[in-house]
Amino acid sequence: MFWFKQMARQALDLLYPRVCAGCGGPVGAEEHHVCWNCSADMPYVRSPFCARCGDPVDGRVDHSFVCYSCSDREPWFDLARSAVRFRELPQKLIRALKYDAALWYRMDLAHWLRSCWESQFREVEVDAVACVPLHATRVRERGYNQARVLGVLLARRLGKPFIPGCLQRIRMTPTQTHLTAPQRAANVRGAFKAKNPVWVSGLRIVLVDDVMTTGATVNECARALKEAGAARVYVVTVARG
């Protein structure tokens, strides 16, 4: 099966050559759409960042710190990290996946997600992977949940079960794009619940999403999981807004 997939991919590359989504140049033989040069120039999230939520800050900080938001109100999740900043090429790929059904970018995004997990959660033991759910109406409109697509790929890499449907979005919420941090928190408050507490009780769960901005959405999901009995909730996202 592996060799068949390799041959099929090579045949497709001959008919429809893949080019880098960043510079338009050639890409390698892997199932990616970003070349090595553009990958090296990616706006990766680097230290210094909040020890709890992973929010990066500009400038130099020589010690571990917790940001004001996490100090003011302790988040429900235990730890959150993101691979890249939500700008430039990552922003282009995530928006294409999310709004234009560009599912071929999923491997690049999943690669950054996996790299973030392996570098930032080296000593963390987990039991299962879940994702931030979309409302059923949005799933019907879009045809898929981009967070679930990424979560399934990460679960395969970790060798852990993916728990589909353990979380439900029980209320439609307006877009968060132009809302302030307090407005975002209010917008999603009570929007999620655990479908069946038995599925998550006592588990250490990885919660996957595409973008984390203020953290309101993932925090509310973590609240639902913790109230259903989850032991730990670790958040990993492709990008940080």
Side-chain angles (χ1 to χ4, degrees), residues 12-209:
L12 285 172
D13 283 344
L14 287 173
L15 292 171
Y16 308 103
R18 285 175 295 121
V19 297
C20 175
C23 66
V27 293
E30 299 84 1
E31 194 179 354
H32 291 174
H33 293 81
V34 177
C35 71
W36 286 107
N37 289 335
C38 288
S39 182
D41 291 336
M42 206 65 59
Y44 293 106
V45 173
R46 294 185 172 93
S47 182
F49 47 72
C50 172
R52 188 65 179 271
C53 74
D55 191 17
V57 297
D58 296 322
R60 178 174 176 176
V61 180
D62 296 321
H63 56 84
S64 178
F65 71 96
V66 176
C67 70
Y68 172 78
S69 296
C70 292
S71 300
D72 182 55
R73 180 169 296 181
E74 185 176 4
W76 285 86
F77 54 79
D78 294 272
L79 199 66
R81 293 290 186 268
S82 304
V84 295
R85 299 283 193 108
F86 188 57
R87 55 176 72 151
E88 303 161 358
L89 186 54
Q91 185 180 71
K92 174 184 176 181
L93 267 60
I94 289 171
R95 285 181 170 171
L97 172 67
K98 196 169 184 174
Y99 302 116
D100 300 326
L103 287 164
W104 50 90
Y105 290 143
R106 69 190 185 281
M107 300 305 295
D108 297 277
L109 301 178
H111 173 72
W112 299 335
L113 194 70
R114 183 174 68 245
S115 297
C116 177
W117 177 266
E118 292 174 349
S119 64
Q120 299 295 327
F121 295 84
R122 286 188 295 269
E123 299 179 3
V124 171
E125 294 292 332
V126 296
D127 302 301
V129 179
C131 71
V132 172
L134 287 178
H135 192 271
T137 301
R138 290 265 168 82
V139 175
R140 286 194 296 270
E141 292 172 351
R142 193 171 297 170
Y144 59 93
N145 176 1
Q146 72 281 352
R148 176 169 179 162
V149 170
L150 297 171
V152 168
L153 292 173
L154 181 63
R156 289 176 186 170
R157 173 65 182 181
L158 299 182
K160 301 296 180 179
F162 180 78
I163 313 177
C166 71
L167 274 174
Q168 288 180 300
R169 189 183 290 251
I170 58 176
R171 178 168 58 80
M172 277 283 285
T173 54
T175 179
Q176 303 265 75
T177 304
H178 302 295
L179 301 182
T180 64
Q183 289 171 335
R184 286 170 179 256
N187 188 41
V188 296
R189 189 168 296 125
F192 304 94
K193 75 170 185 177
K195 186 173 183 179
N196 188 338
V198 173
W199 294 357
V200 301
S201 181
L203 297 186
R204 298 162 296 182
I205 296 174
V206 185
L207 181 66
V208 174
D209 203 4

